[in-house]
Amino acid sequence: METQVAIVGAGPAGLLLGHLLQRAGVESVVLEARTREHVEQRVRAGVLEQGTVDVLTETGVAGRLHREGMVHRGLELRFGGAGHRIALSDLAGGRAITVYGQQEVVKDLIAARLEAGGEVRFEAEATAVEDFDGDRPRVRFRAGGEEQELRCAVVAGCDGFHGVSRRAVPAGALSGFEREYPFAWLGILARARPSSEELIYTHSDRGFALHSMRSPEVTRNYLQVAPDERLDAWPDERIWEELRARMATDDGFELSEGEIFDKGITPMRSFVAEPMRFGRLFLAGDAAHIVPPTGAKGLNLAVADVRVLARALRDFFERGDEAGLDGYSDRCLRRVWRVQHFSWWMTSMLHRMDAGDPFEAKLQRSQLEYVCGSHAAATTLAENYVGLELEDA
Ligand code: APR
Ligand code: PHB
């Protein structure tokens, strides 16, 4: 098989890249190891920055997003039994977030690609990425029980943290920066109406809790748990009990409950691979970086990467201009480290770090009070949360 751009992975990064390239008249093939059902059902986060909503809208794949997405112009920080609203849009030039499940974005992008006649091969697992130090790299993949290969001019490694693309980079050519957090998130989906108009990020002595939502009938809640926590240690009633305890307020906040129909535990880590380009291999999204979910940035960072990459590839294929490709890694890494800092900062401020360290707890409390009491500090949170307008956008 031959194409211009071989895209490994049909997550948000790979699918959006394929979509943007299609609109720019650049041919691509998306190879995805799992089935279409699996990638469309995989429960992940669900907060879209203004910039993500804008690119999906500008490129014609936001119809359902605008019908079903929930626009939020604020969020609540809750601690010491009281809630404090951060007026995101008032503080960040009118920009807002939209709550819309990541798998819904994936569904919309797959539908758009197939409708436009674009190629996405499901159950096609890439096994090797080779020759990207030359101008005719290839991706070896297994599909239908057969070993096959895809020749191309450029490979986009959008295959997530555990994918084959980053692993294809010769040792020593890549630097990894990592931080593991001593906790994880237990996340649930429940048939319960949201208990608030906006998201509630809660700091409590019992640990962090987050109240989010997917629709007027479905909520998404998270609890800080131990990194090695076992799901079977958390029967539904214990989850609701702990959410109630952590999110309790002096004015009697009521958390609405309902049937839990999805439950999972997510490890918490920060990771960055530098650089994000190796010859004709370009890494994007989780293949190059992981953020803890506290800042709701994973999906949005993947989108930011492929916006830069799609423009650079268009310039390259249209007129042989390599400036965008040469600047891709540095350009993305500026946003990646800003977002890494914000996600680490939110995580450090809101989680019970080390139960035995009262000094740490006092620092957190002071930080929370400062963010909720200072216009300048609240603006910092707001502009990072809705998505910074860096010149890469
Ligand atoms: N061959 C083909 N496909 C692969 C391979 C492989 N060897 N390895 C992984 N994949 C596929 C996975 O099955 C997955 O569908 O690559 C896709 C990677 O998608 P994501 O993990 O969603 O990564 P990305 O598109 O970068 O999106 C980042 O996803 O994990 C969330 O929080 C994260 O929101 C962020 C977003
Ligand atoms: C979610 O709705 O899944 C969600 C919201 C905010 C976060 C993380 C996840 O910070």
Side-chain angles (χ1 to χ4, degrees):
M1 280 171 68
E2 294 261 347
T3 188
Q4 289 181 295
V5 182
I7 300 174
V8 186
L15 290 165
L16 181 61
L17 178 62
H19 176 65
L20 297 177
L21 291 178
Q22 177 129 32
R23 291 173 59 85
V26 176
E27 193 196 294
S28 64
V29 170
V30 177
L31 299 175
E32 167 53 51
R34 312 301 295 266
T35 63
R36 179 175 179 179
E37 293 62 43
H38 178 86
V39 297
E40 290 188 344
Q41 301 313 322
R42 191 168 42 203
V43 175
R44 291 267 178 80
V47 169
L48 309 186
E49 288 178 350
Q50 185 71 58
T52 297
V53 172
D54 294 347
V55 66
L56 296 174
T57 305
E58 287 151 20
T59 62
V61 281
R64 203 162 64 95
L65 160 59
H66 289 296
R67 285 194 304 277
E68 300 172 13
M70 309 159 92
V71 178
H72 288 186
R73 300 185 188 292
L75 60 79
E76 178 182 316
L77 294 183
R78 182 173 289 186
F79 57 95
H84 309 262
R85 183 171 188 267
I86 302 289
L88 296 173
S89 299
D90 297 347
L91 294 164
R95 297 157 63 77
I97 58 157
T98 301
V99 177
Y100 185 67
Q102 173 170 321
Q103 76 252 51
E104 307 309 328
V105 175
V106 165
K107 279 183 199 154
D108 296 341
L109 287 169
I110 291 174
R113 183 156 182 92
L114 298 179
E115 206 179 295
E119 189 161 1
V120 51
R121 306 272 303 258
F122 292 102
E123 299 178 86
E125 179 172 7
T127 53
V129 179
E130 298 167 346
D131 307 340
F132 46 85
D133 52 353
D135 59 9
R136 297 293 296 149
R138 74 177 147 193
V139 178
R140 293 183 185 282
F141 65 98
R142 198 176 16 253
E146 276 183 28
E147 292 297 330
Q148 303 184 40
E149 76 171 47
L150 175 59
R151 276 278 179 194
C152 56
V154 169
V155 179
C158 302
D159 46 354
F161 186 72
H162 303 287
V164 71
S165 300
R166 191 180 68 251
R167 286 208 310 273
V169 176
L174 177 151
S175 309
F177 303 83
E178 191 151 11
R179 171 150 307 173
E180 301 273 341
Y181 296 90
F183 39 74
W185 274 14
L186 186 159
I188 63 166
L189 281 171
R191 295 191 212 292
R193 62 173 175 70
S195 308
S196 63
E197 294 287 310
E198 298 171 334
L199 273 56
I200 305 173
Y201 285 87
T202 302
H203 174 277
S204 91
D205 299 345
R206 304 169 67 104
F208 169 79
L210 170 62
H211 178 59
S212 179
M213 54 206 74
R214 286 293 176 272
S215 74
E217 298 80 35
V218 172
T219 53
R220 177 88 168 133
N221 294 305
Y222 297 96
L223 283 172
Q224 172 184 353
V225 294
D228 56 358
E229 191 67 74
R230 297 166 45 79
L231 213 42
D232 53 22
W234 285 88
D236 295 3
E237 189 33 46
R238 182 184 175 201
I239 294 174
W240 290 120
E241 205 179 291
E242 197 55 36
L243 282 166
R244 285 196 301 270
R246 295 184 191 187
M247 301 184 75
T249 61
D250 304 342
D251 59 9
F253 169 77
E254 287 282 323
L255 178 71
S256 63
E257 302 176 13
E259 178 219 346
I260 295 177
F261 63 95
D262 185 89
K263 215 190 276 193
I265 293 183
T266 315
M268 302 275 284
R269 75 154 64 93
S270 294
F271 171 78
V272 178
E274 287 192 7
M276 291 170 61
R277 184 242 180 133
F278 306 88
R280 290 293 183 84
L281 170 61
F282 294 80
L283 303 180
D286 278 17
H289 41 70
I290 299 283
V291 285
T294 327
K297 292 297 179 200
L299 166 67
N300 298 295
L301 201 47
V303 167
D305 288 348
V306 297
R307 288 183 85 171
V308 175
L309 186 54
R311 228 183 3 253
L313 288 168
R314 179 203 60 204
D315 296 351
F316 173 65
F317 285 109
E318 252 179 29
R319 53 180 193 273
D321 172 355
E322 302 207 19
L325 295 180
D326 296 343
Y328 169 74
S329 184
D330 289 350
R331 197 163 202 158
C332 289
L333 285 169
R334 265 197 296 281
R335 177 185 288 272
V336 168
W337 280 111
R338 171 89 296 276
V339 165
Q340 283 291 349
H341 181 278
F342 176 67
S343 304
W344 161 82
W345 177 70
M346 286 281 279
T347 302
S348 311
M349 176 172 69
L350 287 161
H351 286 74
R352 190 179 65 179
M353 299 306 281
D354 171 350
D357 183 349
F359 186 79
E360 175 80 28
K362 287 288 184 185
L363 288 180
Q364 285 182 310
R365 185 58 176 258
S366 154
Q367 177 71 49
L368 285 161
E369 285 169 356
Y370 176 58
V371 168
C372 298
S374 148
H375 187 270
T379 302
T380 295
L381 189 154
E383 65 178 14
N384 279 279
Y385 196 86
V386 300
L388 280 170
E389 290 176 297
L390 295 178
E391 83 325 306
D392 66 356

